[in-house]
Amino acid sequence: SSPRVRLPQRSERRSSALKLQTKERFFPMAEVIIVPGREAGGKLVASEIARRIRATPDLVLGLATGSTPLPVYQALVPALAGVDLSTVRGFALDEYVGLDPAHPQSYRSVITREVVEPLGLDPARIRVPDGRLDGVAHAGEIYEAAIMDAGGIALQILGIGTDGHIGFNEPGSSFASRTRVKTLTEQTRTDNARFFASPDEVPMHCITQGLGTILEADHLVLLAFGSSKAAALAAAVEGPLSASVPGSAIQLHPHVTVVVDEDAAAELARAEYYRYAYANKPDWQGL
Ligand code: F6R
């Protein structure tokens, strides 16, 4: 006879909820790796991605834009030399709304320039949310369906905003959110003004994978470099779970690798433990 499933009694449920609040070990912890600099971080993550692509030639990558992942993309070129990449698939995290896809700062253009062309990927297999005004109301659902059709994202590269966003999930975003249109904070628009001729040119709206979408990827790799990220990174990795710090959603995921330089690690309370754990990392354990 098949085993009966015994539902927990009310008292047991309450006590396990209490344990969840008080015993950190009930949350799987992210692995935090403190690297000497951006280049070392880029090489570390690129070697893991290359290993995964060799094993799974049609791997589905989740691609972040912005300046943080650039050392990864640069290191991927030599790491993947001679490897057939014709079946690799990719999904960008987000896109500006209302920016011509041909604009050099559209994330479509950035992904083409920084990832598709240098690696020689098949452009038809690399998707970016459609931020064009006509149709943006349904672009989220279409994007979610495309990710599902691809079998989900295997490895999602993430950066973090100074306000704690991942993707463009600004503070207040639901942990259950899906791909949708968001309004960028003034802080994010100011941070990203460096990519545009003037701050006014930074779009007001974006379309981004939701936190719920991101949490469905098999493996999250969050990178952060520089002192401007230190506070947001510490809040995301060690602070309480809060929609006010969207990056804290990573604490709900069973497989997260956080790769940071010394400056971005400066506010981590458990930095010494992370160094100790990494120095004693078992050989058999990949990233
Ligand atoms: C980009 C993205 C954002 C950036 C974040 C950090 O696709 O989703 O979350 O990762 O704004 O940007 P940079 O790397 O430029 O500091």
Side-chain angles (χ1 to χ4, degrees), residues 64-68 93-94 107 159-161 165-168 194-195 229:
T65 41
S67 49
T68 305
L93 267 176
D94 39 22
Y107 283 170
I160 187 164
H165 69 226
I166 54 173
F168 272 145
R194 67 190 193 282
F195 296 114
K229 302 295 175 70

